[in-house]
Amino acid sequence: MAETKRATFGSKLGIILASVGSAVGLGNIWRFPYEAGSGGGGAFLIVYLLCVLGLGLPLMMTEFMIGRRSGSNAVQAFEKLSGKKAWDIIGAMGVVTSMIIIGFYSVVAGWTLEYIYQAVSGSLANKSTEMFTAEFAQFISDPVRPIMWTVLFMVITHIIIVSGIKKGIERSSKILMPALFLILLALCIRSLLLPGAEEGLRFLLWPDFSKINSSVILSAMGQAFFSLSLGCACMITYASYFSGKDNLRTSALSVTMLDTLVAILSGVMIFPAVFSFGIEPTLGPTLVFVTLPNIFAQLPLGGLWAFVFFVLLALAALTSIISLHEVITAFVCEKFKTSRRIGALAVTATGCLFAAVCSLSLGRWSGYTVCGMNIFDASDFLTAKILMPLGAFMVCIFAGWVMGHKAVEDELGNHGSLRFKAIGLYMFFLKFIAPIAIVLIFLNELGLFQS
Ligand code: PHE
């Protein structure tokens, strides 16, 4: 599998942290609470956890395996492992999906920069919930300001991407992730001490099974893939930088567990506050951004808390955008044989353009809709609920039917040096269980099983 001068991550911890850096981001802290809020709280959480364990974890092992075995970018990986060019389509879909995600994700990342600015300038203090809500709505529909922040965010991403895998990605993840975790814990405690907090906690943890319907199941599966960065070739790309000695199964387990823990902590931070301040849990993408300032306003030194939190959130978003950017940059550079500098520039420029469209779709261009959704919401929907599950489906088919038992066992067992007793079950999962489950969830959403 030797490749010409391909970088690798420097250490085992580096691998886990970079992958956790990709997985943990706005998906956990911004997207999870709003999906859980719209999906009925506890009911959503249960289905989400089932999807994470039943589909997400084995799929992450599979993406790690494909990436490391091929040592290639997302697109060429499939050709290299199958010997057939047609399978490239899976990687190509991943590249497209990553670009669409960059579009709306970097807009939300830009919002975090605005909040950092507001925390520093003191304008987050002493406002009512209504004022926070109104000001936020006004901000995101502004035609210039959010785009400015988004572009700044993309420029920072660009600089890190150009400085390379080891220095940029690995080093930054090592410090940021533990810091984010600690501040989340502190905010959970604060939120739980608010008056009426139990109601929010009950909403998140107590499943009302009557709320589980086809769209909750699809949302939970989409959220599981989104949060774990699966189905868009991201983990395949990162794993192409892994060394041959790492245990892919335990790495996947660590990443999955840490990511899920952060999502649950975000829920514990947000929902008690949502109920305590009388905010609607079904508010959608703005939920976290109108809830958090309320929590900070209640804290002594609230501005400082807000500052630290939003800096960490921005950094968590950064490590995720870096991974999305890397999927495309690695492909562009290796396919078109450009330098990293030029390849990355093309990706950054395209990302900025698409992000500007997504941002404008929340204001001036809100009249342009796709299936009743503005472009921002449509991009979110298309990626998490259609493209990522489809990508995941194809990855399972590829590993199960095309790569086959021997190659999979060889790679996951590090060429015989690790034992993998459950290989039979795992292959059965890849060939049948996962693809069938994903298809059933789709068909269910399309209403095929309703009488
Ligand atoms: N998993 C990231 C998050 O939760 C988002 C992401 C999706 C990153 C897909 C890379 C690929 O924020």
Side-chain angles (χ1 to χ4, degrees):
M1 295 289 138
E3 266 281 280
T4 44
K5 280 198 289 148
R6 248 174 151 263
T8 54
F9 286 121
S11 65
K12 198 169 161 192
L13 186 66
I15 286 182
I16 293 188
L17 286 177
S19 311
V20 173
S22 167
V24 173
L26 295 168
N28 307 61
I29 296 166
W30 158 72
R31 204 173 183 285
F32 174 79
Y34 94 66
E35 283 284 354
S38 313
F44 178 91
L45 182 63
I46 283 241
V47 186
Y48 174 75
L49 291 177
L50 285 176
C51 289
V52 165
L53 280 180
L55 290 172
L57 172 63
L59 199 77
M60 186 172 298
M61 279 163 56
T62 313
E63 291 208 5
F64 278 174
M65 175 206 55
I66 293 178
R68 188 176 69 178
R69 192 164 183 84
S70 69
S72 294
N73 64 72
V75 179
Q76 287 165 336
F78 291 92
E79 183 183 348
K80 203 159 167 182
L81 296 181
S82 66
K84 294 211 179 67
K85 195 148 178 52
W87 288 106
D88 279 7
I89 180 81
I90 309 179
M93 252 179 56
V95 170
V96 173
T97 309
S98 299
M99 187 46 111
I100 304 178
I101 299 177
I102 288 187
F104 68 89
Y105 199 92
S106 61
V107 172
V108 183
W111 299 347
T112 64
L113 297 185
E114 165 74 15
Y115 271 80
I116 295 174
Y117 173 80
Q118 289 200 17
V120 173
S121 63
S123 43
L124 280 182
N126 296 328
K127 281 183 198 153
S128 63
T129 307
E130 290 72 30
M131 273 168 87
F132 280 129
T133 312
E135 282 182 15
F136 183 68
Q138 198 188 354
F139 161 68
I140 59 172
S141 57
D142 188 282
V144 181
R145 206 175 160 89
I147 298 185
M148 209 183 70
W149 289 123
T150 300
V151 170
L152 175 62
F153 208 94
M154 288 300 288
V155 170
I156 301 172
T157 309
H158 180 83
I159 295 172
I160 300 183
I161 283 282
V162 170
S163 69
I165 288 293
K166 208 182 236 161
K167 265 196 274 158
I169 302 178
E170 188 173 340
R171 215 187 270 165
S172 46
S173 302
K174 273 191 190 164
I175 313 161
L176 304 180
M177 289 300 125
L180 180 73
F181 190 73
L182 288 181
I183 192 158
L184 261 182
L185 267 184
L187 291 174
C188 282
I189 296 172
R190 174 60 227 169
S191 193
L192 286 171
L193 294 175
L194 288 167
E198 324 79 61
E199 210 187 324
L201 205 58
R202 196 171 322 119
F203 175 79
L204 177 68
L205 300 179
W206 190 255
D208 171 356
F209 291 104
S210 68
K211 295 223 171 100
I212 300 183
N213 57 29
S214 60
S215 70
V216 167
I217 301 176
L218 180 64
S219 301
M221 176 173 72
Q223 174 60 22
F225 292 152
F226 188 89
S227 190
L228 295 169
S229 309
L230 296 172
C232 66
C234 184
M235 291 305 183
I236 296 181
T237 305
Y238 265 19
S240 71
Y241 306 120
F242 288 4
S243 91
K245 283 186 273 135
D246 302 300
N247 185 336
L248 298 180
R249 282 167 283 158
T250 50
S251 299
L253 184 66
S254 314
V255 177
T256 305
M257 286 192 352
L258 285 169
D259 185 73
T260 307
L261 188 62
V262 174
I264 294 175
L265 283 180
S266 306
V268 174
M269 167 180 76
I270 295 293
F271 287 108
V274 163
F275 280 79
S276 179
F277 298 120
I279 297 168
E280 266 312 310
T282 50
L283 204 57
T286 56
L287 179 70
V288 171
F289 286 89
V290 301
T291 309
L292 283 169
N294 279 296
I295 307 183
F296 297 126
Q298 299 265 321
L299 289 171
L301 297 178
L304 185 66
W305 279 92
F307 174 75
V308 177
F309 179 80
F310 282 113
V311 167
L312 289 171
L313 184 56
L315 293 170
L318 184 64
T319 50
S320 298
I321 295 204
I322 288 173
S323 68
L324 288 159
H325 200 299
E326 181 63 29
V327 173
I328 318 171
T329 304
F331 163 67
V332 170
C333 294
E334 289 173 15
K335 169 89 187 170
F336 302 106
K337 312 234 170 345
T338 64
S339 69
R340 212 170 151 81
R341 204 170 276 273
I342 303 283
L345 193 64
V347 178
T348 304
T350 318
C352 284
L353 264 180
F354 191 52
V357 173
C358 284
S359 183
L360 287 169
S361 79
L362 296 171
R364 281 214 181 148
W365 292 357
S366 57
Y368 298 102
T369 56
V370 187
C371 302
M373 288 176 276
N374 62 41
I375 310 239
F376 180 99
D377 291 338
S379 309
D380 181 316
F381 184 94
L382 175 69
T383 47
K385 295 190 185 157
I386 299 177
L387 292 175
M388 296 175 103
L390 189 62
F393 170 86
M394 306 229 289
V395 161
C396 293
I397 297 286
F398 182 84
W401 295 98
V402 181
M403 283 180 73
H405 192 117
K406 259 207 177 134
V408 171
E409 186 175 20
D410 182 56
E411 192 61 36
L412 284 174
N414 290 5
H415 314 296
S417 58
L418 298 173
R419 279 176 63 88
F420 186 15
K421 282 206 208 120
I423 178 76
L425 187 66
Y426 177 70
M427 289 310 289
F428 187 71
F429 167 87
L430 287 180
K431 285 179 160 174
F432 302 104
I433 301 179
I436 292 175
I438 295 173
V439 169
L440 288 183
I441 291 174
F442 267 126
L443 294 183
N444 191 26
E445 170 69 359
L446 293 175
L448 258 67
F449 300 128
Q450 270 125 33
S451 47

